[in-house]
Structures are given as structure tokens and as C-alpha cells.
Amino acid sequence: DFPSIVEAGGEAALYFPVGDAARLAAAIETILTESAVCADLRMRGLVRAASMTWDTTAERTLAEIEAAIGESR
């Protein structure tokens, strides 16, 4: 399990176990053959990407730093 991958992709990706070539192939086939799934993932991806701005990243990073500093005092 790779939480950072899921954090980045959210609900806008199909996931498969590391090293599982059959599941990777199945995910690729799904995207290539099921237009509704492909369109849904595309829409979810655009929404997901729009939420990942530099401002949001900076705000979250600052909050984590402030929390870490507060915990160490």
C-alpha cells in the first residue's frame, strides 16, 4: 500500500497491487474499452488537479510546520 499514490490520485485513478501485471493490464483495458469509466476518471482528475494549487500546498505545509513546532514546545 502506497498512501502517497492514493493521496495524489484520490478517486481519480484505478489502483492495482505493486507487481501485479495482470491487474495493471486489466486497469488499462478498462480505461481503453469503457468510455464511461474513462470519462468519469477524466472528470475526477480535472477536479482533483484543480484542488492541488501552490497556495493550497503552501497553506498545508505551513500548518504542518506550525503543528510540529507546537508539539515540540
Side-chain angles (χ1 to χ4, degrees), residues 4-45:
S4 61
I5 300 296
V6 176
E7 179 183 2
E11 297 294 319
L14 299 179
Y15 300 99
F16 56 91
V18 173
D20 191 335
R23 293 276 298 273
L24 169 59
I28 292 171
E29 182 177 7
T30 296
I31 292 169
L32 293 175
T33 61
E34 297 185 30
S35 59
V37 172
C38 185
D40 183 56
L41 289 173
R42 183 180 301 113
M43 183 222 33
R44 291 172 186 257

Side-chain angles (χ1 to χ4, degrees), residues 1-2 12 17-18 28 39 43 46 49 55 59 65 67 73:
D1 191 25
F2 292 90
V18 173
I28 292 171
M43 183 222 33
L46 292 171
D55 288 341
E59 290 168 5
I65 291 169
R73 290 182 185 185

